Amino acid sequence: MEPVLELEHECTIRDIYDMPEGQRAELIDGQIYNMAPPARKHQEVTGELFFRIQEYIRSHQGSCRVYTAPFAVFLDEDEKNYVEPDISVICDLSKLNEKGCMGAPDWVIEVVSPSSRRIDYFIKLFKYRTVGVREYWIVDLERKRITVYDFELEDTRDYTFEDSVKVGMFEDFMIDFSDISRQLIN
């Protein structure tokens, strides 16, 4: 996911809305980044994670909401930051409106694609930390690794696809990645 083009001016959300129908991009600090269509395994992992998170929230009568991309997240009020995380969990429902989420989700998961590696590991990591995301997971299918950033505790942990990963913002929620790995079609 490389910048669309180097512009002399900072882009705004208006530039995102002016893009051709069907073209997806994100806007971070005034720079537009094109988004490639996700691969099949990317979609399978995202779907499994969504299902498990949704089931946990429902079974615990939680009020948080979980969304998959494309779901609009407007990180700042400055019109220069718009992202579509693979998974967004929002617990402050006052942030939700018909357009999407206005402000930082509580938990964001990005499933790395070859074209998004640099932005997920560096640009989004910094941005999510500074805007108030509580927990950020990077699921890297190629490396079979999950990196969990708990910004509230200032803690970072790495896991493999053989591990169960504790969700920091929920007391008793673990996601078994070995089970997800077994679910994937080769």
Side-chain angles (χ1 to χ4, degrees), residues 48-95:
E48 281 291 324
L49 289 168
F50 171 83
F51 174 75
R52 291 161 196 252
I53 295 165
Q54 181 81 307
E55 283 299 305
Y56 176 86
I57 292 170
R58 284 186 177 165
S59 69
H60 288 77
Q61 289 81 46
S63 61
C64 299
R65 298 288 187 266
V66 58
Y67 299 93
T68 59
F71 176 72
V73 175
F74 303 87
L75 292 173
D76 292 320
E77 295 179 21
D78 64 5
E79 296 289 313
K80 295 178 185 170
N81 290 283
Y82 166 92
V83 293
E84 295 180 2
D86 290 314
I87 297 179
S88 302
V89 178
I90 297 100
C91 298
D92 179 354
L93 303 185
S94 70
K95 292 181 179 181

Side-chain angles (χ1 to χ4, degrees), residues 18-62:
D18 287 345
M19 296 183 94
E21 181 79 22
Q23 183 175 349
R24 290 182 52 216
E26 294 181 307
L27 176 69
I28 301 173
D29 294 329
Q31 179 68 59
I32 292 179
Y33 296 88
N34 275 329
M35 297 174 67
R40 179 182 55 83
K41 283 190 179 182
H42 178 283
Q43 290 298 88
E44 288 178 6
V45 168
T46 300
E48 281 291 324
L49 289 168
F50 171 83
F51 174 75
R52 291 161 196 252
I53 295 165
Q54 181 81 307
E55 283 299 305
Y56 176 86
I57 292 170
R58 284 186 177 165
S59 69
H60 288 77
Q61 289 81 46

